Amino acid sequence: MASTASNPPSAAAGPSPDRLPTDPTDPSDPSDPSDPADPAAGWRGNAALLAFGTFVVGTDAFVVAGVLPDIAHSLRLSLGAAGQLVTVFAIAYALGSPLLAALTAGWSRRTVLVTALVVFAAGNAATAVAPDYVTVLAARVLAALGAALYTPNAATTAGALAGDRHRGRAFSIVNIGLTSSLVLGAPLGTAVGESYGWRATMWLVTILPLLVAPLLVVRLPRVRLAAGAGLRARLAPLGDRRVLGVLAITLVVFIGIYLPFQYISAVYGPAAAQVPHGLAIVLLVFGVAATGGNLLAGRLADRYGARRVVLAVAAALTVVFALMPLTRGQFAAAAPFTLLIGWLSFSVLTPQQHRIVALAPDAPAVSVSLNAAALYVAVSLAGLLGAVGLDTIGATLLPVAAAVFTAAGTALAAAAGGRSA
């Protein structure tokens, strides 16, 4: 079934400089899509610029895990206590994302995005100079709130600029920032930490958003999205069962995706040990494949409908995770399997964003933020469940547990049928 989307606003009053038409190719819209003065005409360039911001945010989110041992040693903590920095970030992101989106729904997107990057940079700077554990925890909450405000709004802004016809591709371009941060940003930040200490890494992720923010001020048009008159109206998507169904799919599928990914060193430890830098190669293959999968997923969502893409990918992941234990003993089998897993894993996020915006066109920023919140809750739960799984069923069967979650996501997507996008 093809995805549905919001109708373009009436053109009777002409295009507003602050509110873009939903689809710049709609013949009823008096603006000319080829006109360089029309901000919708350059949506790809604007989406790419927004992707630089998601690259910075993703680098910060992924890199902290790489410098946890150094943080633990510096602050005289156990590794488990240092690991709570990741948990606190994820919880603050999940709670803050929809609330901040609702509170800023009436703002120009450019103002929201620049503010988000400044808050994000402030949180990272505070982390870099924090003298103790409690201060670092508080600083990570501040950075998480900046990240929670930026990433969903970057996606919705790119979608508004691209219009309904190219919304999936716009989302996928912005999400490239996240996948490329896994391939490039996190290794770079970890290398800086290994050479100069974890505080140098935090200064790196302080400087980067401050480089992107001025570019947004200069390049990004002023866009205002649909927003309810009050906070309750802006949070209305939470009362829509179809939206809640999409959020449930995001939650269970990403628990399945992150169960083996967060513990990839244990799951593929035997295979990675067979070649020099085996784990690094596995992670590189995963990241490169994730970037390709994300790009293709956006195009497929635009062409065939987002729900169909999610259904097919979740079903494929179920099969792949179920077979994954058979490949953990040989690197020659693990590497191509990792490529397949990476490709499929990041083929879910963009279609889910597409679906939830189509279901709640009157609150796009809030709806995408809710989806991001569900994703971060999934990451947190995957870490907890994975730790329990390692102690009970072991690393070999952890992917099988992941398959149970992706199978549940497949069933939910199938049950949605004609009731959702």
Side-chain angles (χ1 to χ4, degrees), residues 255-256 259-261 263 266-268 270 318 320-329 385-406:
I255 289 175
L259 266 176
F261 177 73
Y263 296 96
V267 174
Y268 269 154
T318 301
V320 170
F321 284 147
L323 297 175
M324 194 175 175
L326 302 178
T327 67
R328 71 187 301 259
L385 295 173
V388 173
L390 288 177
D391 291 336
T392 53
I393 61 177
T396 301
L397 293 180
L398 202 58
V400 177
V404 173
F405 283 97
T406 53

Side-chain angles (χ1 to χ4, degrees), residues 20 73 122 177 183 187 191 252 265 292 296 322 350 374:
L20 294 179
H73 180 265
V183 179
V252 296
S265 59
L296 181 60
T350 293

Side-chain angles (χ1 to χ4, degrees), residues 101-103 105 226-239 360 362-364 366-367 370:
L103 292 173
L231 184 61
R232 178 176 295 182
R234 293 170 185 176
L235 291 174
L238 281 172
D362 293 332
V366 173
S367 60
L370 288 170

Side-chain angles (χ1 to χ4, degrees), residues 177-202:
L178 295 177
T179 57
S180 60
S181 69
L182 183 62
V183 179
L184 300 174
L188 173 62
T190 301
V192 169
E194 290 174 348
S195 300
Y196 303 103
W198 68 272
R199 294 184 190 275
T201 296
M202 299 316 300

Side-chain angles (χ1 to χ4, degrees), residues 9 46 61 75 124 146 186 195 225 262 279 297 299 301 312 322 342 364 399 419:
N46 286 315
L75 299 178
N124 287 330
S195 300
L225 303 177
Q262 290 196 36
L279 184 58
R299 289 184 172 273
R419 295 185 292 106

Side-chain angles (χ1 to χ4, degrees), residues 208-229:
L208 290 176
L210 297 179
L211 296 178
V212 177
L215 297 177
L216 294 178
V217 173
V218 172
R219 179 70 175 85
L220 197 67
R222 294 181 70 241
V223 180
R224 292 187 187 274
L225 303 177

Side-chain angles (χ1 to χ4, degrees), residues 8-339:
S10 172
S16 164
D18 290 342
R19 186 183 298 273
L20 294 179
T22 306
D23 187 350
T25 61
D26 188 337
S28 67
D29 176 30
S31 62
D32 180 3
S34 64
D35 182 358
D38 177 12
W43 71 266
R44 287 182 178 84
N46 286 315
L49 176 58
L50 292 166
F52 280 111
T54 55
F55 170 80
V56 173
V57 171
T59 296
D60 177 82
F62 290 126
V63 79
V64 170
V67 296
L68 280 181
D70 191 20
I71 294 175
H73 180 265
S74 173
L75 299 178
R76 299 180 181 179
L77 305 169
S78 68
L79 188 59
Q84 297 312 303
L85 296 175
V86 177
T87 303
V88 165
F89 185 97
I91 292 172
Y93 188 112
L95 295 177
S97 185
L99 180 60
L100 289 172
L103 292 173
T104 61
W107 296 13
S108 160
R109 295 302 92 186
R110 185 171 65 191
T111 300
V112 171
L113 292 164
V114 171
T115 301
L117 289 178
V118 171
V119 171
F120 178 68
N124 287 330
T127 303
V129 300
D132 54 51
Y133 182 51
V134 174
T135 309
V136 172
L137 283 173
R140 293 309 292 159
V141 170
L142 182 61
L145 294 178
L149 186 58
Y150 182 85
T151 304
N153 278 292
T156 52
T157 301
L161 290 166
D164 292 351
R165 181 179 176 186
H166 303 297
R167 182 189 293 155
R169 273 169 277 189
F171 285 165
S172 68
I173 291 173
V174 173
N175 290 334
I176 283 177
L178 295 177
T179 57
S180 60
S181 69
L182 183 62
V183 179
L184 300 174
L188 173 62
T190 301
V192 169
E194 290 174 348
S195 300
Y196 303 103
W198 68 272
R199 294 184 190 275
T201 296
M202 299 316 300
W203 281 120
L204 174 66
V205 290
T206 297
I207 294 169
L208 290 176
L210 297 179
L211 296 178
V212 177
L215 297 177
L216 294 178
V217 173
V218 172
R219 179 70 175 85
L220 197 67
R222 294 181 70 241
V223 180
R224 292 187 187 274
L225 303 177
L231 184 61
R232 178 176 295 182
R234 293 170 185 176
L235 291 174
L238 281 172
D240 188 328
R241 291 185 179 180
R242 299 172 304 163
V243 170
L244 294 178
V246 172
L247 297 178
I249 293 171
T250 295
L251 179 67
V252 296
V253 170
F254 275 99
I255 289 175
I257 289 170
Y258 275 92
L259 266 176
F261 177 73
Q262 290 196 36
Y263 296 96
I264 194 71
S265 59
V267 174
Y268 269 154
Q274 296 174 2
V275 299
H277 310 294
L279 184 58
I281 294 172
V282 165
L283 290 174
L284 178 62
V285 168
F286 183 96
V288 172
T291 300
N294 166 63
L295 279 174
L296 181 60
R299 289 184 172 273
L300 293 177
D302 284 336
R303 173 171 288 190
Y304 299 108
R307 188 190 70 86
R308 289 180 178 177
V309 176
V310 173
L311 178 60
V313 170
L317 279 170
T318 301
V319 175
V320 170
F321 284 147
L323 297 175
M324 194 175 175
L326 302 178
T327 67
R328 71 187 301 259
Q330 293 293 327
F331 187 81
F337 232 69
T338 300
L339 186 145

